Amino acid sequence: MSDDRTNDLVDGDLADEIELVSDLVVAASTSTRHFTPDEVDALLGIDTGDSGEAPDGRDAEN
């Protein structure tokens, strides 16, 4: 076998999704209530045409 080959599996899209879910879990763990679907979309940075503000007061774009 060549030394150039590794057994590492790299998937950038999956890593990005894991980071988004992690952000969502952190936000949910600091809240005392359930998020609405629109609030979840805002936390994930999905533009729904609403105010663009996440439930924790951050700009959903950041």
Side-chain angles (χ1 to χ4, degrees):
M1 283 187 136
S2 169
D3 289 335
D4 294 336
R5 293 184 67 173
T6 66
N7 291 328
D8 294 343
L9 177 62
V10 178
D11 185 335
D13 290 337
L14 179 59
D16 291 342
E17 289 182 26
I18 290 170
E19 184 175 351
L20 286 173
V21 171
S22 298
D23 291 345
L24 187 57
V25 168
V26 168
S29 69
T30 61
S31 178
T32 58
R33 62 179 182 76
H34 294 261
F35 291 135
T36 67
D38 287 340
E39 291 172 325
V40 171
D41 288 348
L43 284 166
L44 295 176
I46 298 171
D47 183 19
T48 60
D50 293 338
S51 69
E53 187 174 291
D56 63 357
R58 295 180 300 130
D59 180 16
E61 299 281 325
N62 294 333

